[in-house]
């Protein structure tokens, strides 16, 4: 790293190796320091100017260390680590980091502690060949410093390191923020923001004043540092515990950080306070009960010897044992040992706090108080159900307001009138829920409801069920054309409507040939199942389909019916007579007819029970003008109809006769 000293117009550089073996060899062979001038007058040079400003920089001879080591303890650590026969660290922290380090390998001890000491003493770092001060700099230039190991490559290869800096890059050291103090009985815990400034400062000095800030003294001659930090798991704050002589004096503290160049940061704002005496007695809740009126009656214990040490008691209440607790009754007299409280919830945790006059308060352990509760929560309201095109359902309702609410139960029914069943076995804790409906199932709708449950497992009634219509993805079942008849310029159609419950219309479509467009003839929104298409052309081919549409706007068409109208369909061709004779003995009915028509090609005979629609029964040649119905039913009326079909394709009008067998 590198840092500008604007006051002295120089640049200080610091570096170090990353392991003990490299450290040992570097002490023997040293480092080369190169400087490249990159910018001049804020313009990049076409070719950086290289200068070797230090060659084979390594620790000074032992004799040259005497003066510095005598005045600087950290420099003494460095020289002992480099030249000493033995290297042992000892101190007051016999069970701490120093003791652990002392038990590690000698080389690791020398490496670790010398680098730490170099961070505390920049003068010692330069004597050890781990720092350099460049005084030959210009304010209009910017430099790149490169540190290269002088160890022969065949012995150990070490990557170089670099820093890019100029005089204009100077920044004042940041002030340490968020200093906090927690005063206790003749002690204080001081903490400050450590994580944000760990790249600036390696250690800190804490100073204390007992004369109102007139003078400050260090709490320790050695700086405070964190030697236990693990990479990737560092602490966010640094803590220090200081002991106090008494709880009457006001103590003031300030902190300054030390960077690897030995510079001291600005002092923090002063944090001050007094120690707090510890109250010797602690209250203890002895009894609690709820009377017939639902009022809590509480008794507690507290040694009467402590009455004159407290200003009174406070009753605290929370919904959970860990809190947070709210003060619900204050200023309870020091002599009181019982109270009444009537603002109870479903579950209540209570503590009693003894408030010291000149000492910290002491609080009892919490106790749970639960009044008898058999009243269920209110029925949830505001239930709204929405479904998307994939069948994903979102339920949302107004949250219940009860303080002891535990959660909800979600219910669903897949058909109207069916009992709604719960969707989950456990309790649902939020006022929204997601469900999925199968769009392949035949049910068109679903119904949802919600009930609320409190912490005593009292359950409300189910809310009014909300109807949810599924998006239509399955087309409706088709209509079926069952019968047709052509007469003159008319075509009479009969069909069976689609059986689906969500059908909104049946539409008759017609076209003249497969390549022509379908034309809408008639749309029905009721249960109509017959229609006569009129004013058609003679001797013309026609195609018909019936298109069914459901509520989801999905459509299904029937099979195509192909017919041809009669030639010269005038409607004046008639039969002269038509008779039907019963023959009970022979169990048959005789049907005969006659006409005066020329060029008859065939006869179409229709049959139906009286009142039903006629349907085509037989087709006879022109030579036949009668036939027998050999399967009549006794006491049944029948209707017969006959149409003559000419060679030209024209049809006569139908002549009908009715007979009871």
């Amino acid at each position: 790293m590198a840092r500008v000293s604007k006051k002295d117009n120089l640049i200080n550089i610091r570096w170090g190796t990353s392991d003990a073996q490299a450290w040992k060899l570097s002490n023997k062979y040293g480092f080369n320091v190169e400087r490249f001038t990159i910018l001049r007058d804020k313009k990049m040079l076409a070719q950086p100017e290289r200068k070797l400003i230090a060659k084979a920089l390594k620790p000074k001879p032992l004799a040259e260390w005497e003066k510095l080591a005598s005045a600087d303890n950290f420099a003494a650590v460095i020289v002992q680590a480099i030249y000493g026969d033995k290297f042992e660290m000892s101190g007051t922290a016999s069970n701490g980091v120093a003791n652990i380090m002392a038990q590690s390998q000698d080389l690791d001890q020398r490496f670790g502690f010398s680098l730490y000491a170099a961070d505390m003493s920049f003068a010692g770092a330069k004597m050890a060949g781990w720092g350099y001060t460049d005084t030959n700099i210009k304010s209009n230039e910017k430099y790149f410093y490169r540190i290269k190991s002088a160890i022969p490559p065949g012995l150990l290869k070490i990557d170089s390191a670099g820093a890019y800096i100029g005089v204009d890059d100077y920044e004042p050291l940041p002030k340490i923020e968020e200093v906090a103090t927690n005063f206790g009985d003749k002690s204080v815990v001081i903490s400050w923001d450590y994580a944000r400034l760990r790249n600036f400062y390696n250690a800190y000095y804490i100073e204390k004043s007992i004369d109102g800030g007139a003078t400050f003294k260090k709490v320790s001659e050695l700086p405070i540092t964190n030697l236990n930090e693990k990479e990737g798991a560092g602490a966010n704050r640094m803590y220090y515990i200081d002991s106090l002589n008494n709880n009457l004096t006001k103590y003031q503290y300030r902190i300054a950080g030390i960077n690897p160049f030995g510079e001291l940061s600005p002092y923090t704002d002063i944090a001050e306070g007094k120690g707090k005496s510890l109250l010797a007695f602690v209250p203890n809740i002895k009894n609690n009960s709820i009377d017939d009126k639902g009022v809590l009656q509480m008794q507690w214990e507290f040694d009467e010897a402590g009455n004159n040490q407290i200003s009174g008691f406070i009753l605290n209440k929370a919904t959970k044992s860990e809190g947070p607790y709210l003060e619900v009754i204050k200023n309870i007299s020091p002599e009181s040992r019982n109270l009444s409280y009537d603002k109870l919830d479903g579950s209540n945790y209570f503590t009693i706090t003894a408030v010291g006059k000149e000492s910290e308060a002491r609080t009892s352990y919490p106790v749970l108080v639960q009044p008898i509760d058999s009243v269920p929560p209110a029925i949830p309201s505001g239930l709204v159900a929405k479904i998307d095109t994939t069948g994903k359902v979102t339920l949302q309702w107004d949250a219940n307001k009860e303080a002891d609410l535990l959660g909800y139960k979600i219910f669903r029914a897949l058909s109207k009138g069916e009992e709604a069943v719960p969707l989950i076995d456990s309790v649902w804790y939020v006022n929204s829920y997601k469900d999925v409906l199968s769009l392949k199932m035949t049910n068109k709708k679903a119904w949802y409801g919600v009930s609320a449950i409190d912490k005593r497992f009292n359950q409300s009634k189910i809310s009014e069920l909300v109807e949810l219509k599924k998006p239509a993805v399955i087309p409706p079942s088709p209509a079926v054309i069952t019968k047709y008849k052509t007469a003159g310029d008319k075509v009479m159609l009969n069909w069976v409507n689609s059986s689906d419950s969500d059908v909104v219309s049946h539409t008759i479509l017609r076209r003249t040939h497969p390549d022509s467009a379908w034309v809408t003839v008639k749309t029905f929104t009721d249960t109509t199942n017959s229609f006569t298409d009129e004013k058609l052309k003679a001797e013309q081919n026609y195609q018909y389909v019936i298109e069914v549409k459901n509520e989801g706007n999905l459509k299904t068409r029937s099979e195509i019916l192909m017919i041809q109208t009669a030639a010269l369909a005038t409607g004046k061709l008639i039969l002269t007579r038509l008779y039907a004779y019963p023959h009970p003995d022979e169990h048959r009915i005789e049907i005969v007819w006659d006409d005066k028509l020329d060029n008859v090609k065939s006869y179409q005979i229709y049959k139906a029970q009286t009142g039903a629609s006629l349907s085509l029964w037989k087709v006879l040649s022109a030579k036949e003008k009668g036939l027998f119905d050999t399967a009549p039913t006794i006491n049944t009326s029948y209707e017969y109809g006959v149409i003559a079909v000419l060679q030209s394709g024209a049809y006569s009008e139908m002549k009908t006769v009715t007979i009871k067998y």
Side-chain angles (χ1 to χ4, degrees):
M1 61 179 65
R3 178 165 173 79
V4 175
S5 176
K6 202 166 188 179
K7 176 182 177 182
D8 301 320
N9 195 37
L10 52 84
I11 294 175
N12 290 318
I13 313 167
R14 275 277 288 114
W15 63 89
T17 60
S18 59
D19 62 63
Q21 184 64 26
W23 174 84
K24 182 178 180 180
L25 291 173
S26 296
N27 292 338
K28 180 178 180 180
Y29 293 99
F31 299 92
N32 297 326
V33 182
E34 300 174 317
R35 187 186 76 186
F36 296 85
T37 304
I38 305 298
L39 295 181
R40 182 173 290 124
D41 296 325
K42 297 183 178 181
K43 295 181 180 179
M44 184 173 289
L45 301 183
Q47 181 66 36
E49 297 175 358
R50 178 184 177 276
K51 183 178 181 181
L52 181 65
I53 58 176
K55 184 176 182 181
L57 200 62
K58 54 188 176 182
K60 299 290 185 182
L62 180 61
E64 296 183 25
W65 283 83
E66 183 177 356
K67 183 177 180 181
L68 180 62
S70 303
D72 187 336
N73 289 334
F74 291 109
V77 172
I78 297 173
V79 70
Q80 178 67 20
I82 296 174
Y83 293 109
D85 293 333
K86 291 184 178 181
F87 188 78
E88 295 181 356
M89 299 300 297
S90 62
T92 57
S94 60
N95 294 322
V97 176
N99 188 44
I100 297 173
M101 291 288 291
Q103 297 178 36
S104 65
Q105 296 181 1
D106 180 74
L107 180 60
D108 289 335
Q109 289 187 53
R110 294 172 185 268
F111 166 63
F113 277 98
S114 66
L115 288 189
Y116 168 70
D119 281 346
M120 300 296 106
S121 172
F122 185 57
K126 291 197 293 183
M127 286 284 288
W130 308 331
Y132 182 83
T133 297
D134 188 4
T135 58
N136 186 22
I137 64 173
K138 296 180 180 180
S139 59
N140 66 332
E141 295 180 339
K142 197 164 184 178
Y143 310 103
F144 177 77
Y145 293 92
R146 182 166 66 182
I147 314 300
K148 299 180 69 175
S149 173
I151 299 173
L155 191 60
L156 181 67
K157 185 177 181 181
I158 299 179
D159 288 340
S160 63
Y164 183 54
I165 194 169
V167 175
D168 290 341
D169 293 322
Y170 170 79
E171 290 183 355
L173 291 175
K175 186 177 178 180
I176 301 165
E177 302 290 350
E178 300 181 20
V179 178
T181 55
N182 184 12
F183 285 87
D185 188 17
K186 294 183 181 181
S187 66
V188 60
V189 178
I190 308 167
S191 67
W192 61 93
D193 181 6
Y194 171 72
R196 188 173 63 88
L197 300 177
R198 59 160 46 97
N199 292 329
F200 289 92
Y201 306 122
N202 298 317
Y204 302 85
Y205 280 116
I206 301 175
E207 297 183 356
K208 176 170 64 175
S209 173
I210 58 174
D211 55 9
T215 59
F216 280 88
K217 292 184 178 180
K218 295 176 182 177
V219 298
S220 170
E221 288 302 319
L222 294 176
I224 310 302
T225 191
N226 182 10
L227 294 179
N228 290 322
E229 183 174 6
K230 296 180 181 179
E231 186 173 352
N236 291 324
R237 297 184 67 81
M238 183 84 91
Y239 293 87
Y240 181 81
I241 301 175
D242 190 29
S243 59
L244 309 178
N245 291 330
N246 58 67
N247 292 331
L248 301 177
T249 303
K250 179 183 285 187
Y251 294 90
Q252 295 178 310
Y253 291 89
R254 67 183 187 183
I255 304 170
I258 310 166
N259 74 356
F261 298 99
E263 295 177 292
L264 209 62
S265 77
Y267 283 101
T268 63
D269 294 337
I270 294 175
E272 60 184 21
K274 292 182 179 181
K276 300 176 182 179
S277 299
L278 186 64
L279 185 63
F281 309 103
V282 182
N284 175 47
I285 297 175
K286 183 179 180 181
N287 294 309
N288 67 85
S289 60
I290 299 173
D291 61 22
D292 295 339
K293 297 181 180 180
V295 178
L296 169 66
Q297 305 297 332
M298 179 180 289
Q299 296 86 37
W300 65 93
E301 298 174 333
F302 185 78
D303 197 316
E304 292 185 358
N307 285 3
N308 61 352
Q309 299 180 28
I310 63 173
S311 60
F313 297 98
I314 296 174
L315 178 66
N316 312 292
K317 174 186 167 186
T319 57
K320 296 184 290 187
S321 62
E322 63 270 21
Y325 284 85
L326 300 177
E327 298 175 351
V328 293
I329 300 181
K330 302 180 183 179
N331 301 320
I332 304 171
S333 69
E335 293 77 20
S336 296
R337 297 295 185 269
N338 59 75
L339 57 77
S340 299
Y341 182 75
D342 61 356
K343 296 181 176 60
L344 297 175
D345 296 318
S347 294
N348 311 265
Y349 287 89
F350 289 101
T351 62
I352 287 286
T353 298
V355 182
K357 292 179 180 178
E358 296 181 357
S359 58
E360 291 185 326
R362 302 295 296 273
T363 301
S364 70
Y365 285 107
V367 296
L368 173 63
V369 176
Q370 289 183 307
I372 298 173
D373 178 14
S374 60
V375 179
I379 300 173
S381 61
L383 177 60
V384 177
K386 297 180 180 179
I387 187 169
D388 64 16
T389 55
T390 65
K392 294 180 180 178
V393 176
T394 301
L395 303 179
Q396 188 82 34
W397 59 93
D398 299 334
N400 280 48
K401 305 298 184 183
E402 291 83 1
D404 64 339
L405 181 73
L406 179 61
Y408 304 92
K409 285 280 190 179
I410 320 298
F411 295 85
R412 184 185 70 191
L414 295 179
S415 61
K416 193 172 183 61
E418 173 186 277
E419 181 180 357
V421 296
L423 292 179
I424 53 175
D425 295 332
S426 56
V427 177
W428 193 253
Y429 295 102
V430 295
N431 61 321
S432 62
Y433 183 78
K434 293 188 182 297
D435 189 28
V436 178
L437 290 175
S438 172
L439 301 181
K440 296 181 179 180
M441 294 180 64
T442 57
N443 63 302
K444 304 295 182 182
K445 298 177 182 179
W447 290 261
Y448 288 92
V450 182
S451 69
I453 302 175
D454 64 21
K455 293 179 180 178
R456 296 294 185 86
F457 292 95
N458 297 310
Q459 184 170 340
S460 74
K461 293 183 179 179
I462 301 176
S463 65
E464 185 176 348
L465 296 182
V466 173
E467 182 179 278
L468 183 66
K469 187 180 296 184
K470 292 165 60 175
V473 295
I474 302 176
S477 60
V480 178
I481 300 176
T482 57
K483 184 172 65 175
Y484 75 91
K485 182 172 71 174
T486 61
D489 58 352
K490 304 175 184 178
V491 173
M492 291 154 280
L493 299 174
N494 292 82
W495 65 89
V496 175
N497 286 321
S498 171
S499 60
D500 289 11
S501 59
D502 61 341
V503 169
V504 296
S505 67
H506 290 74
T507 300
I508 298 175
L509 303 176
R510 180 188 66 215
R511 67 184 180 187
T512 55
H513 56 81
D515 295 330
S516 62
W518 288 102
V519 176
T520 299
V521 178
K522 184 74 173 179
T523 297
F524 302 96
T525 57
D526 53 17
T527 58
T528 301
N529 62 352
S530 63
F531 177 73
T532 299
D533 192 10
E534 301 179 344
K535 299 181 180 179
L536 301 173
K537 293 181 180 180
E539 229 173 341
Q540 175 69 53
N541 292 321
Y542 290 101
Q543 297 180 359
Y544 288 91
V545 294
I546 298 178
E547 184 177 78
V548 182
K549 184 173 73 173
N550 65 11
E551 293 174 349
N553 209 33
L554 299 177
K555 301 175 181 179
T556 303
R557 291 180 177 180
S558 67
E559 293 186 1
I560 297 175
L561 171 66
M562 295 181 289
I563 62 175
Q564 184 182 51
T565 55
L568 301 175
T570 63
K572 296 179 181 180
L573 301 176
I574 60 175
L575 300 179
T576 56
R577 65 187 183 91
L578 174 63
Y579 300 101
Y581 304 104
H583 298 280
D585 296 339
E586 300 175 3
H587 194 62
R588 62 184 182 178
I589 297 174
E590 182 181 5
I591 302 101
V592 294
W593 61 89
D594 200 2
D595 61 69
K596 296 182 179 180
L597 300 175
D598 296 327
N599 300 317
V600 173
K601 178 181 179 182
S602 61
Y603 295 99
Q604 295 180 350
I605 296 87
Y606 294 81
K607 173 186 174 182
Q609 290 187 12
T610 303
S613 298
L614 288 168
S615 59
L616 185 63
W617 177 41
K618 302 280 187 178
V619 177
L620 302 180
S621 67
K623 297 179 181 180
E624 302 175 84
K625 292 188 178 182
L627 78 165
F628 291 99
D629 183 356
T630 60
T633 302
I634 298 175
N635 296 323
T636 303
S637 294
Y638 292 96
E639 182 180 11
Y640 298 94
V642 180
I643 295 175
V645 182
L646 305 187
Q647 294 289 347
S648 63
Y651 290 80
S652 72
E653 292 185 355
M654 179 183 286
K655 194 172 185 64
T656 61
V657 63
T658 302
I659 186 173
K660 184 174 182 180
Y661 178 73

